[in-house]
Amino acid sequence: MKTGSSLRRKVGWNALSFGYVQFVTVAVQIIQVPFFIHTWGVKLYGEWLVLTGVPQLLVVLDFGMGQAAGNRAMMRAAAGNRDGVLESLQTAFAFTLCTASLVMLAAILQYPLLSWKDILKISEIEAGTANIVMLCMFGYLCLNLLSSTLTACFKAVDRTPLGVFLIASKRVVDILISISVLLMGFGPSEVAASLAVGQAISTVVIAVILWSISPYPVLGLARATRQELSRTWRPSLASMGIPVAQAITLQGGVQAVNLFGSPALVVIYSMTRTLVRPIIQAGMAVSHAMMPEVSRLYASGDQETAVAFVRKTSRLIQTSALLVYVCLAGVGPYVSDAWSRGSVMIPTWAFLLIGLHAVVNVFWYVPASLLMATNRHLRIGIAYSISSAATLFTWLCLGEYVNALVAGGLLLLIPELCVALTLKRSRS
């Protein structure tokens, strides 16, 4: 049984690493946006967001296998089951590797057949350039699919902070590459190709580091089994539901705003989400920091400590989220004006509506750590993905009658409310 100080210390280190992840995620947008707008202009940058958003819709294609397998591996490691750890991790690695290979094959086959310029109705980016960008970003996506499995491996060998730090640092590499290529005066195809190459190099470096510190071959294929895949499938679907919903709301929202609005509105929509993103990122950082330790506590039979710790932490983070939201609502529009050097001014009402989903997310995501750490969150995953898909479908049907930014805000908010109600019912 872990003492209170030991638990807080481990969660604290995990929180620092996951906090770094969320900081980098926000920094990517905050730092890159001025460079893109200044170099390319608002319209071309908006079309870049629309084009690169398509591959990101497929980020869910690891089907939650990395997180589900990681949870199983951590619980098996806590129970001293070394063979079980290898079986879980190598099964997840084999599955993700096959999935990434199939996606890349499909991306290569579609290259000469589709015109993404016509499909997405973009005007600033030429047809040939659009297809090159799409191919490169599919390659970027395939390499990124391996990240969840690599993170699971670091967790299983009790090196969570190091693994999370290394995976997040790939995004730092993205920032440096993008800014460097933009400053050299290159266009979308060169940026996309450079990002794909940087992702490949970073992934290899992280795999080598993992191999050198792991006490056993977590990245092998010899212990992968169909039986373990079958056992992991149900919790993996639960884990997949959350990124599916996020892909629908985040990337689907971008495509819908472009369809019913304009590339300029896409920039406003994306910038607003970025400004309120720290609220969600803080909640995610704390939640993911608690999950490895909650998994180990449950495996060792100390459920009461896990429940009490998560509840106390949840109340603190929820109160903080409300305060930050109120503060951001006052300064957000002025920050956007300064951030874009006067090119973009976000209306206060849009900031309030689009930002509200971030607060609601914290109110369910942090308490749900108990369920996600023990692979018992299938109902949450289903509710999140179905409500997101239903909201987007409704928008597509009624989009001509609704302001694009209002619809975008509701697309973000409604699924969060549905999951919060689902979690409340499951606990009552």
Side-chain angles (χ1 to χ4, degrees), residues 228-248:
E228 178 64 12
L229 181 62
S230 178
R231 288 190 291 265
T232 311
W233 192 248
R234 181 181 174 87
S236 75
L237 289 178
S239 298
M240 182 184 71
I242 294 175
V244 163
Q246 292 173 342
I248 291 172

Side-chain angles (χ1 to χ4, degrees), residues 183-360:
L183 291 177
M184 288 188 286
F186 290 113
S189 58
E190 291 83 4
V191 173
S194 300
L195 287 172
V197 172
Q199 187 76 189
I201 296 173
S202 300
T203 301
V204 171
V205 170
I206 293 172
V208 170
I209 293 173
L210 174 62
W211 189 270
S212 67
I213 66 172
S214 175
Y216 30 77
V218 292
L219 292 180
L221 299 174
R223 300 294 183 91
T225 65
R226 292 183 180 179
Q227 293 79 9
E228 178 64 12
L229 181 62
S230 178
R231 288 190 291 265
T232 311
W233 192 248
R234 181 181 174 87
S236 75
L237 289 178
S239 298
M240 182 184 71
I242 294 175
V244 163
Q246 292 173 342
I248 291 172
T249 56
L250 297 180
Q251 301 305 329
V254 167
Q255 304 302 326
V257 170
N258 180 62
L259 178 63
F260 296 111
S262 65
L265 285 182
V266 170
V267 175
I268 292 177
Y269 183 65
S270 299
M271 288 179 68
T272 307
R273 288 186 326 190
T274 300
L275 287 172
V276 300
R277 195 70 185 169
I279 298 174
I280 292 181
Q281 304 296 74
M284 291 179 66
V286 173
S287 179
H288 286 285
M290 291 190 294
M291 277 191 242
E293 308 315 315
V294 170
S295 296
R296 293 187 175 97
L297 286 169
Y298 263 78
S300 61
D302 193 8
Q303 292 92 338
E304 291 185 3
T305 299
V307 171
F309 187 79
V310 170
R311 287 180 177 174
K312 181 178 179 180
T313 305
S314 297
R315 288 192 292 267
L316 176 62
I317 298 302
Q318 289 162 353
T319 302
S320 301
L322 281 171
L323 294 175
V324 172
Y325 172 68
V326 172
C327 293
L328 285 176
V331 302
Y334 303 101
V335 172
S336 68
D337 183 59
W339 183 20
S340 63
R341 300 180 183 179
S343 300
V344 178
M345 182 68 174
I346 301 173
T348 301
W349 67 263
F351 193 92
L352 287 169
L353 176 60
I354 295 173
L356 187 57
H357 81 283
V359 178
V360 180

